């Protein structure tokens, strides 16, 4: 080693002593935890390789990069390897799946490039990551002395999405079977980065994106474990220290890049940045004309398909961040899979408890994934999800139900409609909200008649006043609601979720996010009469309406202009995502479906969102809906690529897509639709004040479209599950 290099390393050593001590403690803690957990399994001859180097070879214009993994293996055996691909520190994530060691599997958890101890730049789902993961699965693991060549993957969220992305680059045999990867077990995953994660309906997801990127960056600046060396005992050499410093510097230097992703106003529109990072890239169906990328992306990107012979077990939650993405992946991504090679569980979960499968012990403890892997990797014939590959938690009834398919078969479904009326909603005895928000409360009716639009005076029909939604930037909606809890991954609700799942005690009614009424003050609501029978709404919904907007509060706008000028001064720029959005002459249409209890409590069931300038407009006539638009088509994205700003006082049609759900509205309850113009902190709000009139008349009939589910064909297309853990672990079909 040259003298200068030695001196540099020594200097770095002294500068980084506190961090090295911290890293040393981290390693010690990780090893202690792993060893303690492993001892509890009573398995002999397990070895922990804490820092295993994986060199990804150079490809195209990409230089070689070293990733680091933690391996826990059975000494003296060649076994299948379950792989975890994570940006959340491998030494922490591997702990979630130690129970799989009891089923004779090795475990490997790897830091994706630019995170943990891995060098390079973090690129967040970029194709480089897809191919890194595929290389580990197809090349690295099979070449190891402890591997029998068979691989499975597991993990929630980012770790689940990484599995689906890697599946687009696998080696397959002549029959289309992946050679090494034999089964996937992704939990709470998305399909479309733009619509599922970043900008729902064209609205920037402030709450989740900022917190998530910040969390990744914070984890990235923790000292790399490689600073303690690759082999036990951990006595790092100067080369080890220097490498750790270089990796750390790479991570630090990449932080402005990740901030730049959300500050780039080009990313307010759907583009290749999002397409290349989306799991739907490898669906068997492709957008019309195929995926289109410039030469900065790998040649042929998006032309490959997840193998229909790759068994995939998906899970998700009705209040998860990625409900839409999980269900779309099952429907479209796995459309060609045999029913014996795909499975789906949707629970009553947010993101954090859905990542654990809270309440399903078979999932939380790893026994369910082990059963799937034993069948699909080891070939132990066990068709336990074959006849009913879908399991749904039916809210309202609060029971699990096994299904033949998702979407449910047409024989089980019936189209229904409700209409927005100008008549005032009926009061609910003892409900303070009916009085407090009386000016904004209207009826939701099964059918429209003349009285919904007019009042009768003698022989004259006098038009009722149209509902008016006033958007005041100083009064934002969304904070006291399920939305703010949902989009921070359900962290505030974890205690209540755990109480239900583990203690069988429901304390939801005491939580602010379980009652929308405070948030609905000043919001337009449309509420049905009391239901005379149970109604199960299942799947997605749409709300169609017409509205006109006016941006006419100059005094309020003057104060907004001052705020914008301050932001420009702080950021030293007059062009970024935040400025572009908050100063847009547009409207955030926020639509919620709520279950109203007999006492007035309004429980949010699902929601939909759309910016006015991202409505599905007709290019030849922006005042009409695009004739090529079909609700819920995952490939329809033209308005998100080419938005169209609205004009003041012009009536525009809107169709808001509400994410899928399954809820039984019980007899005695009511169905409510609420419409607001902000959802903060979920979305970065528009700060331009607006007055928005919902136009309701014979020519503009606002309608809620949905499907209800019947109880026919029990034990043929569906069946109730009374003991979910017993069903998933012990039943056979």
């Amino acid at each position: 080693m040259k003298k200068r290099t030695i001196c540099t390393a020594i200097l770095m050593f002294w500068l980084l002593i506190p961090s090295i001590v911290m890293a040393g403690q981290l390693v010690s803690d990780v090893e202690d935890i792993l060893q303690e957990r492993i001892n509890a399994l009573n398995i002999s001859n397990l070895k922990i390789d804490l820092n295993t180097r994986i060199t990804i070879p150079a490809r195209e214009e990409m230089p070689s990069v070293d990733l680091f993994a933690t391996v826990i293996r059975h000494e003296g055996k060649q076994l299948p390897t379950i792989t975890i691909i994570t940006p959340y520190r491998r030494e922490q994530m591997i702990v979630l799946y130690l129970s799989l060691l009891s089923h004779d599997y090795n475990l490997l958890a790897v830091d994706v490039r630019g995170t943990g101890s891995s060098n390079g730049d973090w690129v967040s789902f970029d194709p480089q990551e897809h191919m890194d993961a595929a290389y580990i699965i197809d090349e690295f693991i099979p070449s190891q002395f402890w591997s029998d060549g068979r691989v499975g993957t597991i993990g929630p969220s980012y770790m689940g999405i990484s599995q689906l992305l890697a599946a687009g680059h696998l080696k397959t045999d002549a029959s289309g079977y992946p050679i090494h990867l034999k089964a996937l077990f992704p939990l709470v995953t998305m399909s479309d980065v733009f619509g599922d994660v970043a900008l729902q309906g064209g609205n920037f997801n402030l709450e989740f994106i900022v917190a998530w990127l910040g969390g990744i960056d914070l984890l990235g600046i923790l000292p790399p474990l490689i600073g303690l060396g690759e082999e036990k005992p951990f006595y790092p050499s100067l080369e080890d220290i220097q490498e750790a410093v270089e990796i750390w510097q790479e991570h630090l230097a990449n932080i402005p890049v990740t901030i730049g992703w959300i500050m780039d106003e080009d990313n307010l529109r759907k583009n290749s940045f999002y397409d290349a990072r989306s799991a739907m890239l490898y669906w068997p169906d492709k957008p019309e004309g195929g995926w289109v990328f410039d030469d900065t992306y790998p040649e042929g990107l998006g032309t490959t398909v997840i193998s229909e012979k790759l068994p995939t077990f998906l899970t998700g939650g009705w209040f998860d961040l990625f409900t839409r993405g999980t269900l779309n992946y099952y429907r479209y991504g796995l459309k060609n899979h045999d029913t014996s090679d795909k499975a789906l569980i949707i629970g009553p979960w947010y993101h954090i408890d859905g990542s654990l499968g809270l309440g399903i012990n078979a999932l939380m403890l790893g026994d369910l994934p082990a059963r799937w892997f034993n069948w699909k990797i080891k070939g132990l014939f066990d068709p336990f999800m074959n006849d009913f590959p879908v399991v749904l938690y039916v809210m309202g009834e609060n029971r699990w139900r096994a299904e033949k398919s998702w979407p449910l078969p047409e024989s089980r479904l019936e189209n229904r409609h409700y209409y927005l009326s100008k008549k005032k909603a009926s009061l609910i005895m003892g409900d303070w909200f009916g009085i407090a928000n009386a000016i904004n409360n209207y009826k939701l009716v099964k059918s429209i008649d003349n009285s919904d639009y007019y009042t009768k005076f003698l022989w004259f029909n006098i038009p009722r006043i149209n509902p008016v939604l006033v958007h005041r930037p100083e009064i934002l909606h969304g904070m006291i609601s399920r939305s703010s809890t949902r989009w921070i991954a359900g962290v505030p609700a974890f205690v209540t979720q755990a109480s239900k799942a583990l203690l069988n005690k429901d304390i939801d009614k005491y939580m602010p996010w379980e009652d929308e009424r405070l948030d609905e003050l000043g919001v337009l609501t449309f509420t049905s009469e009391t239901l005379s029978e149970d109604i199960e709404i299942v799947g997605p919904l749409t709300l169609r309406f017409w509205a006109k907007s006016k941006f006419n509060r100059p005094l309020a706008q003057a104060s907004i202009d001052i705020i914008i000028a301050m932001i420009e001064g702080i950021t030293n720029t007059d062009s970024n995502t935040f400025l572009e959005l908050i100063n847009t002459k547009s409207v955030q249409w926020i639509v919620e479906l709520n279950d109203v209890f007999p006492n007035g409590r309004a429980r949010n069931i699902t929601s939909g969102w759309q910016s006015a300038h991202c409505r599905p407009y007709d290019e030849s006539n922006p005042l009409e809906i695009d004739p090529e638009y079909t609700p819920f088509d995952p490939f329809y994205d033209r308005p998100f690529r080419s938005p169209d700003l609205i004009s003041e006082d012009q009536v525009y049609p809107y169709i808001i897509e509400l994410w899928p759900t399954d809820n039984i509205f019980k007899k005695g309850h009511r169905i409510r639709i609420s419409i607001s113009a902000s959802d903060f902190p979920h979305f970065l709000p528009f700060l331009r004040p607006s007055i928005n009139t919902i136009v309701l008349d014979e020519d503009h009939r606002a309608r809620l479209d949905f499907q209800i589910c019947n109880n026919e064909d029990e034990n043929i297309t569906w069946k109730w599950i009374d003991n979910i853990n017993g069903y998933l672990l012990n039943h056979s079909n």
Side-chain angles (χ1 to χ4, degrees):
M1 181 184 294
K2 293 181 180 179
K3 183 176 180 180
R4 181 177 178 183
T5 303
I6 295 174
C7 291
T8 301
I10 291 173
L11 176 60
M12 289 178 176
F13 176 83
W14 284 108
L15 290 174
L16 296 176
I17 282 178
S19 298
I20 291 170
V21 171
M22 178 181 175
Q25 185 61 50
L26 180 60
V27 171
S28 176
D29 290 345
V30 168
E31 284 197 299
D32 289 345
I33 291 172
L34 289 179
Q35 199 61 59
E36 181 181 339
R37 298 289 181 86
I38 289 171
N39 292 341
L41 296 173
N42 292 317
I43 303 174
S44 59
N45 298 321
L46 284 176
K47 181 172 175 57
I48 303 171
D49 297 330
L50 195 62
N51 287 327
T52 297
R53 186 185 298 266
I54 304 174
T55 300
I56 306 293
R59 52 178 179 259
E60 298 182 4
E61 297 181 359
M62 291 302 301
S64 174
V65 65
D66 284 344
L67 309 183
F68 284 89
T70 292
V71 178
I72 306 177
R73 54 186 173 82
H74 297 255
E75 288 195 275
K77 294 181 180 180
Q78 289 184 317
L79 296 173
T81 303
I82 307 303
T83 302
I84 304 155
I85 306 158
T86 183
Y88 303 135
R89 308 284 303 198
R90 58 190 156 84
E91 67 272 15
Q92 299 179 53
M93 294 300 105
I94 200 170
V95 175
L96 297 175
Y97 300 106
L98 294 181
S99 63
L100 292 174
L101 295 166
S102 300
H103 299 272
D104 275 343
Y105 292 99
N106 295 325
L107 290 180
L108 180 149
V110 60
D111 293 323
V112 301
R113 62 169 64 214
T115 71
S117 291
S118 295
N119 65 19
D121 295 330
W122 179 52
V123 292
S124 185
F125 301 129
D126 184 88
Q128 297 169 46
E129 273 189 24
H130 314 185
M131 291 183 278
D132 287 349
Y135 177 86
I136 293 168
I137 291 166
D138 278 333
E139 305 293 341
F140 177 79
I141 292 175
S143 70
Q144 302 304 300
F145 67 89
W146 37 261
S147 167
D148 69 359
R150 295 177 294 177
V151 181
T153 56
I154 195 169
S157 195
Y158 199 114
M159 295 167 274
I161 298 161
S162 294
Q163 300 172 54
L164 302 176
L165 295 174
H169 294 271
L170 299 174
K171 289 182 177 180
T172 57
D173 62 20
S175 299
Y177 286 94
I179 295 172
H180 297 292
L181 185 58
K182 301 302 182 183
L184 309 182
F185 206 103
L187 298 89
V188 291
T189 62
M190 61 81 176
S191 297
D192 171 15
V193 172
F194 183 88
D196 296 340
V197 185
L199 289 99
Q200 289 80 49
N203 300 290
F204 179 74
N205 190 333
L206 178 69
E207 186 173 17
F208 175 69
I209 291 296
V210 172
W212 174 66
L213 285 176
I216 295 284
D217 286 335
L218 285 174
L219 288 173
I221 62 176
L222 290 176
L225 298 188
I226 189 58
L228 294 176
E230 293 184 62
E231 301 293 338
K232 283 185 177 181
F234 291 109
Y235 295 126
S237 66
L238 292 176
E239 287 88 347
D240 293 328
I241 296 170
Q242 184 171 7
E243 182 176 15
V245 170
E246 290 171 353
I247 293 171
W248 198 11
Q249 288 175 329
E250 284 181 316
H251 294 181
L252 287 170
N254 197 55
I255 291 176
V257 175
T258 62
I259 294 174
W261 295 338
I262 62 175
M263 299 299 286
D264 185 349
E265 60 184 281
D266 288 341
N267 288 340
L268 290 177
R269 295 170 176 80
K270 196 173 185 186
N271 55 30
S272 293
F273 177 86
Y274 297 110
D275 293 341
R277 291 168 163 81
S278 295
M280 63 190 295
L281 190 64
Y282 304 117
W283 286 356
D285 291 338
K286 307 293 182 183
E288 186 176 349
W291 297 102
V292 178
F293 297 99
D294 60 35
D295 57 9
T296 62
Y297 289 91
E299 185 177 355
L301 181 65
T303 59
T304 54
V305 172
I306 180 175
S307 171
E308 64 187 69
K309 298 172 181 177
L310 179 57
T312 303
F313 198 126
L314 297 170
T315 77
W318 291 126
F319 303 126
D320 181 30
L321 307 168
F322 305 143
T323 308
R324 170 181 179 262
T326 300
L327 292 170
N328 274 348
Y329 203 96
Y330 186 83
R331 179 176 183 178
Y332 299 104
L334 306 182
K335 62 175 292 187
N336 294 333
H337 278 56
D338 187 83
T339 54
S340 65
D341 281 333
K342 62 182 177 181
L344 171 70
I345 297 177
I346 303 293
W349 302 314
Y350 295 90
H351 195 65
I352 188 169
D353 50 315
S355 295
L356 301 171
L358 194 64
I360 298 184
N361 296 335
L363 186 53
M364 293 174 66
L365 301 178
D367 292 332
L368 179 60
R371 189 175 184 186
W372 181 253
F373 291 144
N374 287 344
W375 178 16
K376 301 302 180 180
I377 297 178
K378 294 182 178 178
L380 304 177
F381 185 69
D382 183 19
F384 70 105
M385 295 289 286
N386 201 35
D387 288 348
F388 295 93
V390 176
V391 175
L392 306 175
Y393 187 84
V394 182
M395 296 182 292
E397 192 68 27
N398 300 328
R399 294 178 72 185
W400 291 94
R401 190 170 66 204
E403 295 281 356
K404 283 285 189 183
S405 65
W406 178 271
L408 304 190
E410 289 298 322
S411 63
R412 299 270 309 287
L413 300 174
E414 178 185 339
N415 293 327
R416 287 285 183 91
H417 318 283
Y418 270 106
Y419 296 87
L420 306 191
S421 171
K422 292 184 184 181
K423 290 196 289 189
K424 291 298 183 179
S426 301
L427 293 176
I428 299 174
M429 184 68 67
D431 178 22
W432 58 267
F433 180 76
I435 303 299
N437 202 55
I439 193 173
N440 295 315
N441 293 339
Y442 297 89
K443 279 185 179 293
L444 188 68
V445 296
K446 291 183 179 180
S447 60
I448 287 288
D449 62 33
N450 192 64
S451 66
D452 289 297
Y453 299 140
Y454 301 95
T455 56
K456 195 79 172 178
F457 180 72
L458 299 177
W459 54 87
F460 296 103
N461 283 327
I462 302 174
R464 295 180 185 270
I465 298 174
N466 282 315
V468 175
L469 176 64
V470 178
H471 171 51
R472 296 184 176 90
E474 68 276 16
I475 303 176
L476 297 176
H477 299 278
M479 182 66 75
I480 311 174
S481 72
R482 186 183 304 285
S483 176
S484 62
T485 301
R486 178 178 195 167
W487 293 99
I488 200 165
V491 173
F494 189 77
V495 171
T496 59
Q497 295 290 83
S499 175
K500 285 184 289 186
L502 305 179
L503 304 177
N504 199 29
K505 186 173 181 61
D506 188 345
I507 56 174
D508 280 353
K509 64 183 179 180
Y510 303 110
M511 300 299 121
W513 55 82
E514 285 287 340
D515 190 342
E516 301 291 316
R517 285 178 292 178
L518 283 175
D519 192 62
E520 287 177 338
L521 290 172
V523 164
L524 297 178
T525 65
F526 298 85
T527 308
S528 73
E529 293 296 335
T530 301
L531 298 176
S532 59
E533 60 181 359
D534 291 357
I535 295 177
E536 180 178 353
I537 294 180
V538 61
L541 308 87
T542 59
L543 179 66
R544 300 167 182 256
F545 64 93
W546 285 258
K548 59 182 179 179
S549 301
K550 192 172 185 62
F551 306 94
N552 66 343
R553 295 177 63 202
L555 292 179
Q557 186 57 50
S559 62
I560 299 306
D561 291 340
I562 293 173
I563 294 173
I564 291 173
M566 290 173 59
I567 295 174
E568 290 176 348
I570 293 170
T571 61
N572 195 29
T573 179
D574 60 0
S575 179
N576 64 49
T577 297
F578 298 118
L579 293 175
E580 177 79 10
L581 272 177
I582 64 177
N583 202 28
T584 300
K585 275 193 173 183
S586 189
V587 180
Q588 287 179 339
W589 293 110
I590 315 299
V591 177
E592 292 185 346
L593 173 70
N594 296 332
D595 185 348
V596 181
F597 287 60
N599 65 356
R601 172 190 168 197
R603 185 174 193 261
N604 175 247
I605 301 303
T606 188
S607 304
W609 317 270
Q610 187 182 97
S611 288
H613 59 286
C614 289
R615 70 197 185 283
Y617 68 94
D618 184 352
E619 283 186 298
S620 62
N621 181 4
L623 301 183
E624 299 292 338
I625 294 294
D626 185 355
E628 296 183 2
Y629 166 72
T630 301
F632 317 119
D633 178 356
F635 292 111
Y636 182 82
D637 57 12
R638 187 179 53 74
F640 302 122
R641 296 183 188 274
S642 302
D644 179 71
L645 288 174
I646 61 174
S647 299
E648 287 193 282
D649 284 332
Q650 181 64 62
V651 177
Y652 291 93
Y654 296 98
I655 301 180
I656 314 299
E657 298 178 2
L658 282 74
W659 280 12
T661 190
D662 192 341
N663 186 79
I664 295 181
F665 293 79
K666 304 295 286 184
K667 178 181 178 180
H669 286 223
R670 301 170 191 238
I671 298 172
R672 173 175 295 165
I673 284 291
S674 70
I675 305 176
S676 65
S678 57
D679 192 14
F680 179 82
H682 174 201
F683 292 138
L684 183 70
F686 296 159
L687 295 189
R688 283 189 176 270
S690 61
I691 297 175
N692 309 282
T693 302
I694 309 294
V695 179
L696 296 175
D697 56 37
E698 297 92 334
D699 298 322
H700 304 91
R701 294 194 170 188
R703 190 180 74 198
L704 178 70
D705 296 326
F706 56 93
Q707 291 184 307
I708 64 169
C709 178
N710 62 50
N711 290 324
E712 297 176 7
D713 300 329
E714 185 174 4
N715 295 318
I716 299 174
T717 65
W718 67 278
K719 62 181 180 180
W720 288 115
I721 302 171
D722 292 322
N723 181 349
I724 185 64
N725 285 289
Y727 176 80
L728 291 174
L729 279 186
N730 302 319
H731 85 285
S732 59
N733 298 307

